[in-house]
Amino acid sequence: MLFKALSAAVYGIDASIIDVEVDYSGLKTQEDRFHTVGLPDAAVRESRDRVRAAIKNSGFDLPPTHITINLAPADIKKEGSGFDLPMAIGILGAYGALHLRDLSDFLLIGELGLDGGIRPVSGMLPVAVAARARGIRNLVIPKANAREAAVVDGVNVYPVDSLIEVRELLNEAGNGGIHTEPYRVEAAQVLGERQAFHLDFADVRGQQTAKRALEVSAAGGHNILMIGPPGSGKTMLAKRLPSILAPLSFEEALETTKIHSVAGVLDSEAGLVAQRPFRSPHHTISDAGLIGGGVIPRPGEVSLAHNGVLFLDELPEFPRNVLEVMRQPLEDRNVVIARASMSLSFPAAFMLAAAMNPCPCGYFNDRSRECHCTPPIIQRYVAKVSGPLLDRIDIHIEVPAVQYRELRGGAASESSAVIRERVLTARERQKERFAGAKEKIFSNAQMGTRQIRAFCELGADAERLLERAMQQQGLTARAHDRILKVARTIADLESAVSITVPHIAEAIQYRTLDRSYWN
């Protein structure tokens, strides 16, 4: 007897519907003959032992027989434990233990425990999106994944805890319809509930120049590098950067959640990534960990930071090859990982925030402590960060040690809420500016050559200032474009229509560190 169920497999950040076909021979044998075909990986092949034990321990007495399970389409690699539940339901259906014979309107996914319990799996949000696109109305999933899947409108989510509960639900559907209410969640409410920030710029004493640079960075989506001695507050400043960024839109939150869901790092209680991500990998990370990889590729840190901030502390301590692989996603805002069997693309539209010491000991140019590093040592240390990578960082800012008077002063610092209001106003100006663009552009940092020509026109005085800076500091053509983008953002923060000399001067100041700071 043949019985069919529907499940899904995740590839990249999207899911494909998989037909789970179960054939039960009806001939009793001395022992179970359980075969799974359709390019299953090791976890899928091992599922036969989990499925057999789960069915037995759920109270179903099935005689030994010959069972063949096909996962179609058969030319696509299947991985993970999420096929356990549809396999078990397919076996029960083939044995005649279900009243409902047609499961074409149900998608089932979940890992089975040996006791018949159902455990959560990764990538549930892409599965819910794929089910809606295919017109499948009912989603039977582990209870821990319910909130994540329920943010997708157009599907009925039925969270379950055990195999017996799934059978009862399907039998209920076969006896005249499901009376159980599907799980619901208001996505807008989830976004609103999780907008509180625990870190605030009001906690930071001094560092007004660095705060201003971070405000410009947030307003235009610009990458930023902070250079200063240990203890100057670089990490403290970077961790507060998300508190002044624009809130996530629902579309951004959905795309970000898909990535976190696939990677298995989504908070099941949240169900939706409501705040812009802040990822801070250790400098021992590999290039695959940063960019993504695997036999079936999984997203790396640059994709987990999509629509948020990727913070790299102690930048020169990262291996050179790890830093160089970031050059492509910084330009293209996505990562393409090619394998023999497939090529997958992951979005990687992140803001890069990096921090480094000026030298190995950390006290070069510091007024309070003496640096013991020789010029060759300093040059070797700085050379760990290549020129092409520095060119892709729009803002380079010095973060000096905080003076005692500033540290102990009673003057209140500006809060993140006040800074964020200015950032949001500047972002609104950019949104209006790029509303008619054919390409999807959301910030000044994303402008291409055509948009720079259109929106970054300079007067004669500003033109001469930029030309002089290019010649004296030996800046590249890419640095030229970065200066214009940053100047456009500074003008937006001041609600200025055109870019003037002070805007260009401030933008040039943010490009001088990588050329003259160590000379």
Side-chain angles (χ1 to χ4, degrees):
M1 183 181 294
L2 180 66
F3 195 90
K4 295 183 180 180
L6 294 177
S7 191
V10 178
Y11 302 99
I13 61 170
D14 298 311
S16 298
I17 304 300
I18 301 296
D19 293 316
V20 180
E21 301 173 335
V22 179
D23 180 66
Y24 156 55
S25 69
L27 298 176
K28 294 183 180 180
T29 60
Q30 293 297 322
E31 57 182 16
D32 280 339
R33 295 181 181 178
F34 196 127
H35 300 288
T36 304
V37 297
L39 284 183
D41 74 342
V44 179
R45 288 194 299 269
E46 290 174 353
S47 64
R48 63 189 179 201
D49 298 317
R50 293 192 298 270
V51 169
R52 183 189 296 114
I55 291 175
K56 178 182 177 182
N57 292 325
S58 296
F60 301 101
D61 186 16
L62 302 181
T65 186
H66 190 175
I67 297 173
T68 302
I69 298 179
N70 178 42
L71 304 177
D75 59 343
I76 299 177
K77 184 76 172 176
K78 319 299 186 309
E79 71 165 3
S81 56
F83 296 106
D84 290 3
L85 179 58
M87 284 182 178
I89 291 299
I91 292 173
L92 293 179
Y95 274 100
L98 297 179
H99 298 165
L100 185 65
R101 305 302 300 169
D102 183 9
L103 297 187
S104 60
D105 210 19
F106 288 83
L107 188 146
L108 303 99
I109 189 168
E111 178 185 336
L112 285 176
L114 299 184
D115 61 351
I118 299 178
R119 296 168 178 165
V121 295
S122 302
M124 191 57 68
L125 182 59
V127 170
V129 172
R132 181 180 62 181
R134 180 77 170 262
I136 302 171
R137 292 186 301 170
N138 304 306
L139 201 58
V140 182
I141 63 173
K143 186 169 286 186
N145 293 125
R147 193 170 175 86
E148 173 188 349
V151 300
V152 180
D153 292 329
V155 292
N156 299 320
V157 175
Y158 295 100
V160 290
D161 276 327
S162 67
L163 184 59
I164 295 176
E165 191 176 343
V166 178
R167 178 183 180 250
E168 291 174 352
L169 179 71
L170 296 178
N171 282 342
E172 185 180 337
N175 291 330
I178 301 176
H179 302 293
T180 305
E181 283 295 319
Y183 184 86
R184 307 261 183 218
V185 65
E186 290 293 333
Q189 182 180 353
V190 175
L191 280 175
E193 288 174 352
R194 297 180 172 266
Q195 288 302 314
F197 294 94
H198 301 294
L199 300 176
D200 197 290
F201 272 98
D203 304 327
V204 181
R205 299 289 184 179
Q207 302 296 8
Q208 297 305 318
T209 303
K211 290 180 184 177
R212 167 65 175 178
L214 286 167
E215 180 181 339
V216 173
S217 174
H222 303 289
N223 303 321
I224 184 169
L225 170 63
M226 293 176 285
I227 306 170
S232 59
K234 302 184 294 296
T235 303
M236 186 179 187
L237 288 163
K239 287 183 176 180
R240 283 155 178 77
L241 183 56
S243 68
I244 62 173
L245 296 176
L248 282 171
S249 66
F250 178 70
E251 291 75 16
E252 288 178 319
L254 202 63
E255 189 174 36
T256 306
T257 305
K258 287 171 71 175
I259 299 171
H260 285 237
S261 175
V262 168
V265 297
L266 181 65
D267 181 4
S268 60
E269 294 183 2
L272 192 69
V273 177
Q275 292 184 359
R276 295 192 179 274
F278 181 86
R279 304 293 299 183
S280 180
H282 193 261
H283 59 74
T284 55
I285 191 172
S286 65
D287 51 359
L290 188 66
I291 297 298
V295 177
I296 295 183
R298 287 283 186 261
E301 289 292 331
V302 298
S303 295
L304 291 171
H306 179 62
N307 290 324
V309 178
L310 177 67
F311 177 52
L312 302 184
D313 202 3
E314 304 295 344
L315 188 65
E317 301 301 328
F318 284 79
R320 180 72 175 257
N321 66 300
V322 173
L323 294 179
E324 293 306 301
V325 296
M326 280 201 310
R327 286 159 57 175
Q328 182 255 337
L330 282 172
E331 286 291 325
D332 300 338
R333 309 183 79 80
N334 76 306
V335 174
V336 178
I337 302 176
R339 294 292 182 266
S341 58
M342 64 182 67
S343 180
L344 297 177
S345 177
F346 296 103
F350 61 92
M351 278 179 57
L352 175 63
M356 63 181 288
N357 296 329
C359 65
C361 77
Y363 297 105
F364 178 72
N365 269 359
D366 186 53
R367 297 178 181 179
S368 59
R369 299 189 63 170
E370 182 181 357
C371 173
H372 300 285
C373 303
T374 63
I377 291 176
I378 296 175
Q379 288 301 323
R380 282 196 299 271
Y381 179 76
V382 175
K384 293 180 180 179
V385 184
S386 68
L389 180 60
L390 285 175
D391 272 346
R392 287 168 169 82
I393 301 176
D394 304 356
I395 297 174
H396 312 154
I397 188 70
E398 181 182 2
V399 184
V402 182
Q403 299 300 313
Y404 180 81
R405 288 184 179 180
E406 291 180 318
L407 192 63
R408 298 294 296 170
S413 300
E414 242 183 352
S415 68
S416 293
V418 175
I419 301 173
R420 194 185 200 193
E421 284 300 318
R422 295 196 295 266
V423 169
L424 292 177
T425 302
R427 282 293 180 121
E428 282 299 317
R429 294 179 67 87
Q430 295 167 50
K431 185 178 179 181
E432 295 172 4
R433 179 181 301 128
F434 303 128
K438 294 181 180 179
E439 304 89 348
K440 286 186 177 181
I441 300 176
F442 303 103
S443 64
N444 288 334
Q446 297 176 356
M447 286 193 294
T449 305
R450 187 182 307 168
Q451 289 79 29
I452 292 174
R453 291 200 201 100
F455 303 120
C456 299
E457 294 183 358
L458 302 180
D461 291 341
E463 192 76 56
R464 283 194 293 271
L465 177 61
L466 179 58
E467 181 182 5
R468 187 163 63 249
M470 292 285 294
Q471 292 175 349
Q472 291 179 355
Q473 298 182 22
L475 301 178
T476 64
R478 184 180 283 113
H480 166 271
D481 290 348
R482 305 279 174 178
I483 289 173
L484 290 176
K485 291 178 185 180
V486 173
R488 179 69 268 173
T489 299
I490 296 169
D492 288 341
L493 282 168
E494 297 180 2
S495 300
V497 176
S498 57
I499 300 174
T500 61
V501 170
H503 305 146
I504 287 291
E506 184 176 352
I508 291 172
Q509 171 191 325
Y510 296 142
R511 294 298 309 181
T512 56
L513 294 178
D514 60 328
R515 293 294 178 263
S516 60
Y517 183 76
W518 290 280
N519 292 337

